[in-house]
Short mmCIF file of all heavy atoms in Angstrom, two decimals:
data_model
loop_
_atom_site.label_atom_id
_atom_site.label_comp_id
_atom_site.label_asym_id
_atom_site.label_seq_id
_atom_site.Cartn_x
_atom_site.Cartn_y
_atom_site.Cartn_z
N GLY A 191 -67.37 -225.49 103.90
CA GLY A 191 -68.61 -226.05 103.41
C GLY A 191 -68.71 -226.22 101.92
O GLY A 191 -69.81 -226.41 101.37
N ALA A 192 -67.59 -226.16 101.22
CA ALA A 192 -67.58 -226.32 99.76
C ALA A 192 -66.87 -227.61 99.38
O ALA A 192 -66.19 -228.24 100.19
CB ALA A 192 -66.87 -225.13 99.10
N ARG A 193 -67.06 -228.01 98.15
CA ARG A 193 -66.30 -229.11 97.56
C ARG A 193 -65.22 -228.54 96.65
O ARG A 193 -65.23 -227.34 96.34
CB ARG A 193 -67.22 -230.05 96.80
CG ARG A 193 -68.26 -230.74 97.67
CD ARG A 193 -69.10 -231.73 96.88
NE ARG A 193 -70.13 -232.33 97.74
CZ ARG A 193 -70.99 -233.26 97.35
NH1 ARG A 193 -70.96 -233.70 96.10
NH2 ARG A 193 -71.88 -233.74 98.19
N ILE A 194 -64.31 -229.41 96.21
CA ILE A 194 -63.22 -228.94 95.36
C ILE A 194 -63.18 -229.73 94.06
O ILE A 194 -63.35 -230.96 94.04
CB ILE A 194 -61.85 -229.01 96.08
CG1 ILE A 194 -60.76 -228.36 95.23
CG2 ILE A 194 -61.49 -230.44 96.45
CD1 ILE A 194 -59.46 -228.13 95.97
N LEU A 195 -62.98 -229.01 92.97
CA LEU A 195 -62.77 -229.58 91.64
C LEU A 195 -61.36 -229.23 91.19
O LEU A 195 -60.93 -228.07 91.31
CB LEU A 195 -63.80 -229.03 90.66
CG LEU A 195 -63.66 -229.25 89.15
CD1 LEU A 195 -62.68 -228.33 88.45
CD2 LEU A 195 -63.34 -230.70 88.80
N VAL A 196 -60.64 -230.21 90.67
CA VAL A 196 -59.29 -229.97 90.16
C VAL A 196 -59.27 -230.21 88.66
O VAL A 196 -59.61 -231.29 88.19
CB VAL A 196 -58.26 -230.90 90.85
CG1 VAL A 196 -56.88 -230.72 90.21
CG2 VAL A 196 -58.20 -230.60 92.34
N ASP A 197 -58.89 -229.18 87.93
CA ASP A 197 -58.60 -229.31 86.50
C ASP A 197 -57.20 -229.89 86.40
O ASP A 197 -56.20 -229.19 86.56
CB ASP A 197 -58.69 -227.95 85.83
CG ASP A 197 -58.18 -227.95 84.39
OD1 ASP A 197 -57.75 -229.00 83.90
OD2 ASP A 197 -58.21 -226.86 83.76
N ALA A 198 -57.13 -231.20 86.14
CA ALA A 198 -55.84 -231.90 86.15
C ALA A 198 -55.31 -232.16 84.74
O ALA A 198 -54.47 -233.03 84.55
CB ALA A 198 -55.96 -233.23 86.90
N ALA A 199 -55.78 -231.38 83.77
CA ALA A 199 -55.33 -231.59 82.39
C ALA A 199 -53.81 -231.54 82.28
O ALA A 199 -53.19 -232.33 81.55
CB ALA A 199 -55.96 -230.55 81.47
N GLN A 200 -53.18 -230.61 83.01
CA GLN A 200 -51.72 -230.48 82.95
C GLN A 200 -51.01 -231.21 84.08
O GLN A 200 -49.81 -231.46 84.00
CB GLN A 200 -51.33 -229.00 82.97
CG GLN A 200 -51.90 -228.18 81.84
CD GLN A 200 -51.42 -228.64 80.47
OE1 GLN A 200 -50.41 -229.33 80.35
NE2 GLN A 200 -52.15 -228.26 79.44
N LEU A 201 -51.74 -231.56 85.14
CA LEU A 201 -51.09 -232.22 86.27
C LEU A 201 -51.02 -233.73 86.09
O LEU A 201 -49.98 -234.35 86.40
CB LEU A 201 -51.85 -231.89 87.56
CG LEU A 201 -51.24 -232.43 88.85
CD1 LEU A 201 -49.85 -231.85 89.09
CD2 LEU A 201 -52.16 -232.12 90.04
N ALA A 202 -52.09 -234.35 85.62
CA ALA A 202 -52.15 -235.81 85.53
C ALA A 202 -51.03 -236.42 84.69
O ALA A 202 -50.53 -237.50 85.03
CB ALA A 202 -53.52 -236.25 85.00
N PRO A 203 -50.58 -235.79 83.59
CA PRO A 203 -49.48 -236.39 82.83
C PRO A 203 -48.13 -236.35 83.55
O PRO A 203 -47.20 -237.04 83.14
CB PRO A 203 -49.43 -235.54 81.55
CG PRO A 203 -50.76 -234.88 81.47
CD PRO A 203 -51.16 -234.63 82.88
N HIS A 204 -48.03 -235.55 84.63
CA HIS A 204 -46.74 -235.33 85.27
C HIS A 204 -46.64 -235.84 86.70
O HIS A 204 -45.54 -236.13 87.18
CB HIS A 204 -46.43 -233.83 85.28
CG HIS A 204 -46.34 -233.21 83.93
ND1 HIS A 204 -45.20 -233.23 83.16
CD2 HIS A 204 -47.28 -232.56 83.19
CE1 HIS A 204 -45.41 -232.61 82.02
NE2 HIS A 204 -46.66 -232.19 82.00
N ARG A 205 -47.76 -235.89 87.42
CA ARG A 205 -47.73 -236.27 88.82
C ARG A 205 -48.84 -237.28 89.11
O ARG A 205 -49.95 -237.15 88.59
CB ARG A 205 -47.95 -235.05 89.73
CG ARG A 205 -46.93 -233.95 89.57
CD ARG A 205 -45.60 -234.31 90.22
NE ARG A 205 -44.70 -233.17 90.19
CZ ARG A 205 -43.89 -232.89 89.17
NH1 ARG A 205 -43.87 -233.68 88.11
NH2 ARG A 205 -43.10 -231.83 89.21
N ARG A 206 -48.54 -238.27 89.93
CA ARG A 206 -49.58 -239.18 90.40
C ARG A 206 -50.47 -238.45 91.39
O ARG A 206 -49.99 -237.72 92.25
CB ARG A 206 -48.97 -240.43 91.03
CG ARG A 206 -48.22 -241.32 90.07
CD ARG A 206 -49.11 -241.83 88.91
NE ARG A 206 -50.30 -242.52 89.40
CZ ARG A 206 -50.33 -243.81 89.73
NH1 ARG A 206 -49.22 -244.53 89.64
NH2 ARG A 206 -51.47 -244.37 90.15
N ILE A 207 -51.77 -238.62 91.26
CA ILE A 207 -52.75 -237.92 92.08
C ILE A 207 -53.61 -238.95 92.81
O ILE A 207 -54.16 -239.86 92.17
CB ILE A 207 -53.66 -237.03 91.22
CG1 ILE A 207 -52.83 -236.12 90.32
CG2 ILE A 207 -54.62 -236.22 92.09
CD1 ILE A 207 -53.62 -235.49 89.19
N SER A 208 -53.74 -238.81 94.11
CA SER A 208 -54.64 -239.65 94.89
C SER A 208 -55.83 -238.81 95.33
O SER A 208 -55.67 -237.88 96.13
CB SER A 208 -53.93 -240.23 96.11
OG SER A 208 -54.88 -240.86 96.97
N LEU A 209 -57.00 -239.12 94.79
CA LEU A 209 -58.20 -238.38 95.20
C LEU A 209 -58.48 -238.59 96.68
O LEU A 209 -58.89 -237.66 97.38
CB LEU A 209 -59.40 -238.82 94.36
CG LEU A 209 -59.29 -238.63 92.84
CD1 LEU A 209 -60.63 -238.93 92.18
CD2 LEU A 209 -58.83 -237.23 92.48
N ARG A 210 -58.24 -239.81 97.16
CA ARG A 210 -58.50 -240.11 98.57
C ARG A 210 -57.56 -239.31 99.48
O ARG A 210 -58.00 -238.65 100.42
CB ARG A 210 -58.30 -241.60 98.84
CG ARG A 210 -59.27 -242.53 98.14
CD ARG A 210 -58.87 -243.96 98.45
NE ARG A 210 -59.49 -244.95 97.59
CZ ARG A 210 -60.54 -245.68 97.94
NH1 ARG A 210 -61.07 -245.54 99.14
NH2 ARG A 210 -61.05 -246.57 97.11
N GLU A 211 -56.27 -239.40 99.21
CA GLU A 211 -55.29 -238.77 100.10
C GLU A 211 -55.39 -237.25 100.07
O GLU A 211 -55.17 -236.58 101.09
CB GLU A 211 -53.87 -239.20 99.72
CG GLU A 211 -53.58 -240.67 100.01
CD GLU A 211 -52.15 -241.04 99.65
OE1 GLU A 211 -51.38 -240.13 99.27
OE2 GLU A 211 -51.81 -242.23 99.75
N ASN A 212 -55.72 -236.68 98.91
CA ASN A 212 -55.78 -235.23 98.79
C ASN A 212 -57.16 -234.66 99.09
O ASN A 212 -57.33 -233.44 99.14
CB ASN A 212 -55.33 -234.80 97.40
CG ASN A 212 -53.85 -234.98 97.17
OD1 ASN A 212 -53.04 -234.20 97.66
ND2 ASN A 212 -53.48 -236.03 96.45
N GLY A 213 -58.15 -235.53 99.28
CA GLY A 213 -59.49 -235.04 99.60
C GLY A 213 -60.17 -234.34 98.43
O GLY A 213 -60.99 -233.45 98.63
N ILE A 214 -59.84 -234.74 97.20
CA ILE A 214 -60.40 -234.11 96.01
C ILE A 214 -61.75 -234.73 95.69
O ILE A 214 -61.88 -235.95 95.58
CB ILE A 214 -59.44 -234.26 94.82
CG1 ILE A 214 -58.13 -233.54 95.12
CG2 ILE A 214 -60.07 -233.73 93.54
CD1 ILE A 214 -57.02 -233.84 94.12
N ASP A 215 -62.77 -233.86 95.52
CA ASP A 215 -64.12 -234.34 95.26
C ASP A 215 -64.36 -234.63 93.78
O ASP A 215 -65.04 -235.60 93.44
CB ASP A 215 -65.14 -233.30 95.74
CG ASP A 215 -65.02 -233.01 97.22
OD1 ASP A 215 -65.31 -233.92 98.02
OD2 ASP A 215 -64.61 -231.88 97.58
N TYR A 216 -63.82 -233.76 92.91
CA TYR A 216 -64.01 -233.92 91.47
C TYR A 216 -62.70 -233.62 90.76
O TYR A 216 -61.94 -232.74 91.19
CB TYR A 216 -65.11 -232.98 90.95
CG TYR A 216 -66.46 -233.25 91.56
CD1 TYR A 216 -66.85 -232.59 92.72
CD2 TYR A 216 -67.32 -234.19 91.01
CE1 TYR A 216 -68.08 -232.86 93.31
CE2 TYR A 216 -68.55 -234.46 91.59
CZ TYR A 216 -68.91 -233.79 92.74
OH TYR A 216 -70.12 -234.08 93.33
N LEU A 217 -62.46 -234.33 89.68
CA LEU A 217 -61.22 -234.14 88.90
C LEU A 217 -61.52 -234.42 87.44
O LEU A 217 -62.27 -235.35 87.11
CB LEU A 217 -60.11 -235.04 89.42
CG LEU A 217 -58.76 -234.92 88.70
CD1 LEU A 217 -57.61 -235.04 89.70
CD2 LEU A 217 -58.61 -235.97 87.61
N ALA A 218 -60.91 -233.62 86.57
CA ALA A 218 -61.09 -233.81 85.13
C ALA A 218 -59.74 -233.77 84.44
O ALA A 218 -58.82 -233.05 84.86
CB ALA A 218 -61.99 -232.72 84.57
#
Side-chain angles (χ1 to χ4, degrees):
R193 297 184 183 182
I194 187 168
L195 168 281
V196 175
D197 170 359
Q200 300 298 341
L201 184 62
H204 299 275
R205 301 285 187 273
R206 293 301 304 275
I207 308 164
S208 170
L209 301 188
R210 295 176 194 260
E211 291 182 5
N212 289 284
I214 297 170
D215 300 293
Y216 298 91
L217 181 142

